[in-house]
Amino acid sequence: MILGQYVVITGHGGPKNALYFIFDTESRSFSNAFIGTHLVWQYDDLSTAAYVDGSNILSIDGRTLAELDLAENEYVYGLSYSQDGTVLTATIVSSEETERIVRLTLP
């Protein structure tokens, strides 16, 4: 996927993770690489990107946005921004197929 001067490349890091590589077309180099899931961003602005790493939601620059309290049988099923970009929503499911929602109000 192309976002302005960046190309986001996704690969598989195992059955439960993805590998994300961020290529900067201006410097012609990889500017970031990380393992996680559910990489999302607002509009075409990669600086707003967030992703899940285990029970943490992180920003593209590695800041922890939230530490989720997941039960042993739970995992993050999805991550999405609200229309206005002020709320990041994590959908959490369990092996018993229960679902709960955690909403993060962003600064």
Side-chain angles (χ1 to χ4, degrees):
M1 170 151 309
I2 297 173
L3 297 169
Q5 75 186 54
Y6 300 101
V7 177
V8 178
I9 303 164
T10 305
H12 292 284
K16 297 181 181 181
N17 285 306
L19 297 171
Y20 297 105
F21 300 94
I22 310 300
F23 184 77
D24 184 334
T25 59
E26 288 184 5
S27 68
R28 296 181 184 242
S29 64
F30 285 95
S31 61
N32 200 347
F34 51 93
I35 296 173
T37 60
H38 307 295
L39 179 65
V40 296
W41 55 82
Q42 294 176 291
Y43 314 109
D44 285 339
D45 185 0
L46 191 59
S47 71
T48 66
Y51 66 99
V52 177
D53 180 13
S55 62
N56 296 322
I57 298 175
L58 304 170
S59 67
I60 191 79
D61 62 6
R63 288 178 296 118
T64 301
L65 301 175
E67 295 177 3
L68 302 173
D69 186 19
L70 299 178
E72 189 173 311
N73 66 343
E74 290 182 316
Y75 60 95
V76 177
Y77 181 76
L79 193 62
S80 61
Y81 273 103
S82 62
Q83 284 285 73
D84 65 2
T86 62
V87 176
L88 193 57
T89 301
T91 303
I92 300 168
V93 298
S94 73
S95 57
E96 287 87 29
E97 298 183 11
T98 60
E99 182 178 297
R100 65 185 174 100
I101 303 293
V102 173
R103 288 183 177 82
L104 274 171
T105 302
L106 301 170

